[in-house]
Amino acid sequence: MNLDNLRQRLQNKQIYIYGAGIYATILYAYLQFYGMERQVIGFVVTKKENNVDRFFDKPIYAYSVDIMEKQAAFCIAIKGAYDIEDRLRKDGFGDVCLIAGQVISEIKECIFAEFSNLPIQRTKIFFDSYDGKGYGCNPKYIAEYLLKHHSNLELVWDVMKLEKSELPEQIKQVERYSCEYYRELYTAGIVIQNVGIDGFPYKRKEQYTIHTWHGSGCYKKAGIHACLNNEKLVETVVNNFKNVDLAISNTYGNSKVFRESFLYEGEIAEYGSPRVDIIFRNAGVRDRICKQFHIPTEKKILLYAPTYRDQKDQSFSQYDLDMNLVLEKLEKCFGGEYVLMYRFHQMLYQYDEGKSFYPYGINISMYHDVMEFLVAADVLITDYSSIMWDFGLQRRPVFLYQNDAKQYTDDRGFYKPISTWPYPIAHTQKELLENIQRFDEQDYLNKLETFIAADPSYDDGHATERVVARIMDVIEHPEKYGKE
């Protein structure tokens, strides 16, 4: 089925969209484009446990043959969901169509073709952070600097859920994959991203794209090195960087990852990471965090921030530390009273298991800017997250708890062997408590300095200024970059 046939088939019909992922969002944007979104009754999922109640302001239903309208058309917007197609037909739904990947590609081409006829707005900057998951990471610090120093620019930010966004009011918000999202994306003079925009398969030649990345320290393998056994994923990873004009790096190792792991051939600017500037310019940050979370300023903060596992729904089984024992050990060995803050990876936001994982701790998983908490914390416990690098730049204690080191190494792998890392490593809770007990600050600092010196950081508190200087140069002199 081609796109024209699909639109004719759905004309004047009530529609269910089966699915609530990227295929479903792109299909809905297409229906919006032709004013057909009013025909959509809602989105349907097999199980609703980890889904929100509404999607694009439409209800989400758990599939039930008893409550679905039999006369409505069912568009299955899930890749290769032939089993769902068979079940719907067996359950008596006559108008069922499986949206194939080719149709999704045609939709993207159609949307791009329409919006690429609109003029580029050179002073418009489009931001994407973690695929619309909030206001944070490098894009946030670039946006805030622009708001302060260049108020004549138009800033646009994509978000998954408008009602949960914490963006400044001067930044225009667009719901990811909506019709307005594509309009703003394809008319922006500059696009800034930290992961890779799924819905950005094309780029107009006048557009300038900056990739800031989102990690540091070159620990976990990334790009093609993290998905060598999946040809389709390798293709996606490489394609994400084909449209990049400038990649921002904070170490030589990071630059090497861009070249070798993403096969990136464009310009690399070794400016440092904008998000790390806060470590060098942190006046008032800790006091603000303590006030916001009602933490007495004399208390110390332990931040627990593990990364996710590839089998995301199984990640929480690895987080088995008794944090009461850890807090007691820190207080005994380091002095003072400690408060626990914990933050799970943004890949795990949708899972209910993490919402009150430690009832006696403060869950900051939904706060999208982790950097403020790194500044506020006195001690960090993580496992394999590159957050250890950012925190270590403050020369504060980092403890690693890796109870699945062999499995994680086999699944993901590392650029730098775990044995070379300067942070105390434990594989059991007993070992972690022992590492805290015998922590030698001077020995730790010596190892940390040697480690950092092997791949020096370009961070000095001025990375954002350098990125913004480039942005303004592109805006004012597009001909220098072939964007006239």
Side-chain angles (χ1 to χ4, degrees):
M1 177 187 301
N2 63 32
L3 211 48
D4 289 336
N5 289 340
L6 176 66
R7 194 164 84 251
Q8 291 172 11
R9 179 172 173 175
L10 298 177
Q11 205 72 38
N12 301 320
K13 289 186 178 180
Q14 289 186 304
I15 304 166
Y16 287 113
I17 297 177
Y18 203 121
I22 186 167
Y23 273 28
T25 55
I26 292 172
L27 174 61
Y28 188 76
Y30 176 74
L31 295 175
Q32 277 186 312
F33 189 78
Y34 285 99
M36 298 171 66
E37 75 276 9
R38 287 166 292 186
Q39 298 169 225
V40 177
I41 301 172
F43 294 83
V44 180
V45 294
T46 303
K47 294 181 180 179
K48 200 180 169 191
E49 287 90 339
N50 290 315
N51 279 288
V52 293
D53 291 328
R54 301 185 74 80
F55 198 51
F56 288 105
D57 204 31
K58 299 284 184 179
I60 292 183
Y61 301 101
Y63 177 71
S64 171
V65 68
D66 297 322
I67 67 169
M68 306 281 109
E69 296 284 343
K70 290 282 187 179
Q71 302 307 312
F74 257 100
C75 292
I76 305 171
I78 302 173
K79 184 178 180 180
Y82 301 105
D83 56 332
I84 294 175
E85 181 182 21
D86 291 342
R87 184 176 64 188
L88 288 171
R89 294 191 188 283
K90 288 177 182 177
D91 286 344
F93 294 98
D95 195 352
V96 178
C97 59
L98 180 62
I99 307 299
Q102 180 58 38
V103 173
I104 295 297
S105 295
E106 289 179 18
I107 289 175
K108 291 179 181 180
E109 291 174 6
C110 173
I111 291 173
F112 175 75
E114 291 294 334
F115 288 130
S116 62
N117 289 321
L118 298 177
I120 289 284
Q121 296 172 243
R122 299 227 173 266
T123 56
K124 180 195 291 185
I125 305 175
F126 186 98
F127 293 86
D128 175 85
S129 179
Y130 293 120
D131 299 324
K133 290 188 176 70
Y135 187 55
C137 199
N138 292 307
K140 171 188 172 179
Y141 289 91
I142 297 170
E144 293 199 332
Y145 192 95
L146 288 168
L147 287 175
K148 185 176 180 179
H149 297 280
H150 300 280
S151 58
N152 59 321
L153 303 179
E154 181 183 359
L155 308 186
V156 181
W157 199 288
D158 75 319
V159 291
M160 290 301 294
K161 292 296 169 189
L162 293 175
E163 66 274 14
K164 293 184 179 179
S165 175
E166 68 279 21
L167 273 73
E169 61 180 12
Q170 305 98 308
I171 300 178
K172 180 178 180 178
Q173 304 174 47
V174 291
E175 190 161 4
R176 189 172 175 81
Y177 299 126
S178 65
C179 209
E180 186 67 10
Y181 161 85
Y182 287 109
R183 181 188 302 275
E184 297 292 352
L185 174 61
Y186 288 127
T187 57
I190 294 176
V191 177
I192 298 175
Q193 56 187 304
N194 74 338
V195 178
I197 300 179
D198 293 331
F200 193 37
Y202 313 103
K203 184 182 75 170
R204 299 174 67 175
K205 62 182 179 61
E206 303 95 338
Q207 291 183 298
Y208 190 85
T209 303
I210 300 174
H211 203 304
T212 69
W213 197 231
H214 57 273
S216 306
C218 302
Y219 292 94
K220 294 180 292 186
K221 287 186 177 179
I224 64 172
H225 293 138
C227 53
L228 286 173
N229 297 322
N230 187 328
E231 290 185 15
K232 189 66 177 176
L233 194 53
V234 166
E235 181 183 353
T236 299
V237 165
V238 173
N239 284 341
N240 274 340
F241 271 80
K242 282 185 177 179
N243 287 330
V244 173
D245 292 290
L246 181 71
I248 306 300
S249 172
N250 69 335
T251 67
Y252 169 77
N254 206 63
S255 301
K256 190 176 179 182
V257 168
F258 284 134
R259 294 293 188 219
E260 298 180 1
S261 299
F262 296 100
L263 306 185
Y264 174 62
E265 299 178 351
E267 182 184 359
I268 295 176
E270 295 176 332
Y271 290 160
S273 294
R275 71 178 194 172
V276 176
D277 286 351
I278 194 173
I279 286 177
F280 297 86
R281 303 180 176 190
N282 58 21
V285 174
R286 179 183 165 85
D287 287 344
R288 185 169 69 249
I289 292 296
C290 288
K291 183 178 180 180
Q292 181 177 353
F293 292 93
H294 309 290
I295 300 171
T297 54
E298 70 273 11
K299 289 194 175 184
K300 296 180 178 179
I301 297 173
L302 165 64
L303 175 61
Y304 177 50
T307 192
Y308 71 98
R309 273 51 180 178
D310 287 342
Q311 298 297 321
K312 297 179 185 62
D313 58 344
Q314 298 176 20
S315 296
F316 295 100
S317 64
Q318 301 300 327
Y319 311 150
D320 59 0
L321 286 174
D322 183 337
M323 281 299 179
N324 276 321
L325 292 179
V326 175
L327 292 170
E328 289 174 9
K329 182 63 72 172
L330 284 170
E331 290 172 358
K332 180 180 178 181
C333 299
F334 287 17
E337 281 188 69
Y338 275 80
V339 172
L340 170 66
M341 286 186 154
Y342 62 100
R343 184 180 190 274
F344 298 126
H345 195 276
Q346 50 96 9
M347 288 285 193
L348 305 179
Y349 288 172
Q350 63 178 310
Y351 296 102
D352 291 335
E353 294 97 312
K355 291 181 179 175
S356 52
F357 200 79
Y358 293 108
Y360 47 85
I362 301 171
N363 187 349
I364 57 170
S365 297
M366 295 308 294
Y367 290 83
H368 300 294
D369 182 15
V370 69
M371 297 305 297
E372 294 186 353
F373 298 100
L374 293 190
V375 170
D378 297 276
V379 176
L380 171 70
I381 295 178
T382 185
D383 42 22
Y384 315 100
S385 172
S386 62
I387 199 174
M388 66 182 85
W389 172 272
D390 295 337
F391 191 82
L393 292 176
Q394 302 176 104
R395 275 60 176 181
R396 296 177 189 168
V398 176
F399 294 96
L400 303 184
Y401 177 62
Q402 302 174 344
N403 58 351
D404 59 346
K406 184 180 185 306
Q407 183 66 50
Y408 197 93
T409 302
D410 291 343
D411 290 345
R412 186 67 179 266
F414 304 97
Y415 293 111
K416 300 174 182 177
I418 292 177
S419 60
T420 67
W421 300 358
Y423 321 101
I425 297 172
H427 302 103
T428 66
Q429 178 169 281
K430 180 181 178 182
E431 289 180 0
L432 175 63
L433 297 176
E434 289 173 351
N435 285 344
I436 295 172
Q437 175 78 41
R438 59 174 179 246
F439 181 74
D440 183 326
E441 183 177 16
Q442 192 55 55
D443 180 62
Y444 168 72
L445 290 175
N446 290 341
K447 291 178 179 176
L448 186 60
E449 296 298 341
T450 300
F451 187 73
I452 292 174
D455 188 17
S457 171
Y458 303 133
D459 291 301
D460 59 2
H462 299 279
T464 308
E465 295 172 36
R466 290 187 277 266
V467 175
V468 169
R470 170 58 67 91
I471 289 171
M472 298 310 299
D473 198 44
V474 172
I475 290 173
E476 294 167 5
H477 306 286
E479 69 283 354
K480 286 173 58 177
Y481 305 93
K483 304 299 176 182
E484 66 274 14

